[in-house]
Amino acid sequence: MNDKSSVLRETDNEARRQARILLRSARHAALAVLDPETGFPAVSRVLTGTDIDGVPVMLVSGLSAHTKALSKDPRASALFGEPGKGDPLAHPRLSIQCRAERVDRDGPFHARIRTRFLARHPKAKLYADFPDFCFFRLVPIAASLNGGFGKAYVLPGEDLMILSAANEILARDADVLVRELVARHPDLVSALVTASGGAKGGDWRIYGLDMAGIDLIWGDRTLRWEFDPPLGELNDANSYISKIAYSIP
């Protein structure tokens, strides 16, 4: 009998929440692909966002080595998480094994992904529409969360995704819903920033909304407020805004 205790903790709701926040508040990630010529892992830094279902997305040049590698083998891994002061290994990070899916410019998801990505990365408007640039969805297969010393967890890919039948409707109406939400609750943004531990006094704004939470941005800083629990069906705009109002801290 092996008495040695496992280094992994049992995955609980708090671990899932921390993993989702790390993913959805990230502005970039380290992306690992398999070099088609040598078979060795190759790592690069990419800008990231999320689709309406929580799947991470990236905008890359078709001329880059990692894009060419993904065209040969869609398997990839991505590392999310910002090191802070002191020991970089003491800060939370999330590693995801994923399957890269190229987003067709003429497909039904391109406009939605482009809009959400540029809301997070406005400067990417300079090159997002260049012919050689494209979006990829990095569909999670499995994930490893290190929440700090002694806090290691393994998660299935589904734990990072927003599996809601209302995703498409919300993606269509998100901008209108955000405007109405802020109009009805003028103090919402400042309340969310405070509750999320963000810097006060900044020009924060809501740039993303999905069935699991709200994304905020100020310059290069981002915050994620997760609904607890995620919201249910989206019957109409007014009922959705009312549900969000109950989630205001």
Side-chain angles (χ1 to χ4, degrees), residues 22-36:
L22 278 172
L23 172 60
R24 294 168 190 167
S25 60
R27 299 182 66 250
H28 60 83
L31 179 75
V33 298
L34 295 175
D35 188 307

Side-chain angles (χ1 to χ4, degrees), residues 98 122 176 179 187:
C98 47
V176 173
R179 287 197 296 270
D187 297 329

Side-chain angles (χ1 to χ4, degrees), residues 5-20:
S5 61
S6 172
V7 297
L8 296 176
R9 289 191 178 187
E10 182 178 353
T11 303
D12 55 17
N13 287 335
E14 180 56 32
R16 296 183 184 96
R17 178 179 178 274
Q18 184 179 25
R20 292 193 298 265

Side-chain angles (χ1 to χ4, degrees), residues 28-225:
H28 60 83
L31 179 75
V33 298
L34 295 175
D35 188 307
E37 295 184 1
T38 67
F40 276 88
V43 183
S44 182
R45 178 177 291 159
V46 295
L47 292 182
T48 59
T50 55
D51 200 353
I52 193 67
D53 59 355
V55 170
V57 299
M58 63 179 183
L59 175 64
V60 293
S61 169
L63 304 178
S64 66
H66 46 275
T67 304
K68 294 177 181 178
L70 292 174
S71 69
K72 299 292 185 181
D73 189 333
R75 292 177 297 172
S77 291
L79 176 65
F80 299 85
E82 291 280 357
K85 294 181 179 179
D87 185 352
L89 297 183
H91 298 274
R93 61 266 191 197
L94 177 71
S95 178
I96 302 177
Q97 294 176 337
C98 47
R99 183 183 69 256
E101 298 178 347
R102 183 165 179 155
V103 179
D104 189 344
R105 281 181 182 262
D106 298 322
F109 308 132
H110 183 271
R112 176 186 78 206
I113 290 173
R114 179 184 182 277
T115 297
R116 289 177 59 86
F117 190 89
L118 295 183
R120 178 174 294 202
H121 302 286
K123 293 181 180 178
K125 292 178 182 179
L126 296 173
Y127 52 83
D129 297 325
F130 285 2
D132 62 301
F133 273 77
C134 62
F135 289 101
F136 277 87
R137 280 169 48 94
L138 302 175
V139 181
I141 305 300
S144 174
L145 168 67
N146 190 318
F149 182 76
K151 298 179 180 179
Y153 307 88
V154 172
L155 301 86
E158 292 82 357
D159 279 357
L160 302 176
M161 299 174 66
I162 304 168
L163 304 176
S164 172
N167 283 339
E168 296 296 330
I169 299 174
L170 178 56
R172 181 194 66 200
D173 299 337
D175 288 345
V176 173
L177 289 170
V178 168
R179 287 197 296 270
E180 293 188 12
L181 180 62
V182 173
R184 294 188 190 186
H185 304 278
D187 297 329
L188 172 65
V189 172
S190 60
L192 291 174
V193 170
T194 299
S196 303
K200 298 180 180 180
D203 188 20
W204 291 96
R205 62 180 175 84
I206 295 175
Y207 76 91
L209 176 66
D210 55 55
M211 296 299 287
I214 295 175
D215 298 306
L216 302 105
I217 192 169
W218 169 33
D220 292 335
R221 306 184 187 191
T222 58
L223 290 172
R224 170 74 179 183
W225 174 260

